[in-house]
Amino acid sequence: MPESWDEVILQGPHMHVSTPFYKSPNKTMRNNLDWSSADLESLTAESIPATSYKPVGGRARYDGGYTSWEVEDENGILQTVRARDCYRVAWRNMAANTGERTLISALIPPGSAHVDAVMTFGIPDDPRSLVLACGVLSSLVLDFSIRSAPKAHIRANAIERLSNPSLLVQSGIIERAARLNCITGAYSLLWKEIFGHGRQRDEWTGGFVHSRRKPLGDVGSKWTIETPLRIAADRRQALVEIDALVALGLGLTADELCTIYRTQFPVLYGYDRKTYLYDINGRLVPNEVLSVWRKKGDAINEDERTATNPAGNTYTYELPFQFLDREATCARHIRNSNADLALRAARQWVPTDGL
């Protein structure tokens, strides 16, 4: 367990789509699959991921050997900026061309390093564009752009050629990407830099309204433990809405987006219909509970609906359990966003700075 982010060395399984805390290596470290899922609901503001690697040798050599960038300041003068001093978008270098997802990226905080199986980029002078890029990279449309030409590794040139959606949808993408990625206090400075009052005008587009859902814009300019989206159903909803916004911003219809989902992501499509069930509190129901529920149905008792996750936290999963319809949510969001954008255009709406 590192004492600070300066000692963190990340690997691919640490992250998932817009999820910086996804899995942690187990103490046994038997093989590359010996990892356990993190519990986002129980993370504290000070949480730091466990790692398989740690820095060795002199700190000056370790710090000095890492990447630095030349960045122009406001006067046009080049300044040297250490990559590890910046927030960055990280992605898994290894391409799972036929898996649930291929392009798997998330924001990582200053101090952290990574092995070659992870790649990163930063935009030191424009945090808003950095969060936007992270949100766009988390979409199914850009994931499809990567997996449409199968490859073993996703290098920088593959990321650089990807499209950016139109300006009108960017604030909504940033809003959702920020709440998905800014998961601990290590992101508080980034949150402060990108915050804008426009966030409080944004709303969820329907979807599964569980018992703990709060308004999407119910956040302030100071990062708190309540700032990030921690409930599984809320995180899923935000990602689906990003899918719809990116599709809309690139000129795709709802039917085209749903066709990409059905035909190019069969594993995700199958999970959505057979595996991913949510309880009335918005929690993703674990397999050990589902295996009993599939036999007994809603006659399952409370003890059988109670399970302890790998992080050591025990939850009781409340009935009814239900699958969530990704296609219906995408179509609804594109339809509602189209109407909203048309209204803004009619009013000659111009986006303000921030969100």
Side-chain angles (χ1 to χ4, degrees):
M1 291 297 299
E3 294 183 0
S4 72
W5 280 97
D6 283 335
E7 297 178 0
V8 169
I9 301 176
L10 296 170
Q11 297 172 260
H14 276 111
M15 68 190 72
H16 199 56
V17 180
S18 275
T19 306
F21 280 77
Y22 181 58
K23 289 185 176 181
S24 295
N26 297 323
K27 292 182 179 180
T28 48
M29 291 176 59
R30 292 185 296 266
N31 52 52
N32 65 332
L33 300 178
D34 196 8
W35 292 64
S36 293
S37 298
D39 181 0
L40 298 184
E41 288 192 48
S42 67
L43 287 182
T44 67
E46 296 77 27
S47 292
I48 298 174
T51 63
S52 300
Y53 295 92
K54 64 180 180 180
V56 296
R59 289 301 306 219
R61 181 172 178 270
Y62 176 74
D63 293 340
Y66 210 78
T67 301
S68 294
W69 298 314
E70 297 295 324
V71 179
E72 284 191 9
D73 64 14
E74 56 187 13
N75 298 315
I77 300 174
L78 287 177
Q79 301 286 341
T80 299
V81 176
R82 296 196 317 164
R84 285 181 54 236
D85 290 342
C86 303
Y87 292 97
R88 286 153 286 158
V89 175
W91 72 92
R92 294 187 191 178
N93 182 11
M94 304 296 289
N97 295 294
T98 58
E100 179 180 3
R101 298 293 296 263
T102 299
L103 179 55
I104 297 173
S105 62
L107 281 172
I108 63 173
S112 54
H114 54 84
V115 297
D116 186 58
V118 173
M119 296 196 70
T120 59
F121 71 82
I123 310 177
D125 58 345
D126 192 350
R128 186 174 184 272
S129 291
L130 181 72
V131 178
L132 171 65
C134 185
V136 172
L137 291 179
S138 72
S139 69
L140 281 178
V141 176
L142 266 69
D143 197 331
F144 168 60
S145 297
I146 292 292
R147 70 161 54 190
S148 61
K151 53 186 69 64
H153 303 280
I154 306 173
R155 296 292 184 181
N157 61 345
I159 299 298
E160 289 170 350
R161 68 175 175 81
L162 296 175
S163 302
N164 208 27
S166 65
L167 183 64
L168 288 176
V169 301
Q170 291 182 7
S171 291
I173 296 170
I174 295 171
E175 153 71 6
R176 290 157 178 80
R179 296 202 65 191
L180 286 165
N181 285 274
C182 296
I183 205 73
T184 71
Y187 296 86
S188 58
L189 179 59
L190 179 65
W191 180 267
K192 181 179 180 180
E193 289 177 334
I194 66 171
F195 182 86
H197 293 293
R199 162 180 285 115
Q200 295 167 336
R201 294 195 301 267
D202 211 341
E203 298 177 352
W204 296 112
T205 304
F208 168 46
V209 182
H210 58 80
S211 63
R212 297 190 292 163
R213 172 158 291 175
K214 297 180 180 179
L216 182 61
D218 187 15
V219 285
S221 59
K222 181 179 179 181
W223 187 96
T224 71
I225 199 68
E226 301 296 328
T227 297
L229 298 172
R230 301 184 180 278
I231 301 171
D234 289 345
R235 295 184 63 82
R236 177 195 179 280
Q237 179 74 18
L239 284 169
V240 172
E241 293 187 5
I242 286 175
D243 290 339
L245 287 167
V246 172
L248 183 63
L250 294 176
L252 297 177
T253 66
D255 285 343
E256 288 167 335
L257 174 58
C258 291
T259 298
I260 289 173
Y261 163 61
R262 286 193 304 267
T263 63
Q264 304 301 317
F265 294 89
V267 175
L268 177 61
Y269 184 81
Y271 285 165
D272 280 341
R273 280 158 174 73
K274 299 178 182 179
T275 304
Y276 294 155
L277 278 140
Y278 296 80
D279 81 343
I280 198 63
N281 292 317
R283 292 191 174 105
L284 189 62
V285 184
N287 285 331
E288 60 191 284
V289 174
L290 288 180
S291 62
V292 180
W293 176 77
R294 288 190 173 102
K295 296 176 183 177
K296 302 179 64 173
D298 289 352
I300 185 173
N301 62 43
E302 183 174 328
D303 286 343
E304 294 166 333
R305 290 186 283 106
T306 302
T308 301
N309 62 28
N313 300 308
T314 301
Y315 298 115
T316 297
Y317 299 87
E318 303 294 345
L319 297 167
F321 301 158
Q322 58 185 294
F323 294 106
L324 304 184
D325 191 332
R326 186 181 297 266
E327 293 183 59
T329 304
C330 283
R332 184 187 307 110
H333 194 74
I334 288 179
R335 182 174 61 251
N336 291 353
S337 296
N338 261 322
D340 183 46
L341 295 180
L343 179 62
R344 292 178 183 179
R347 294 175 178 172
Q348 296 184 330
W349 178 84
V350 178
T352 58
D353 290 338
L355 292 177

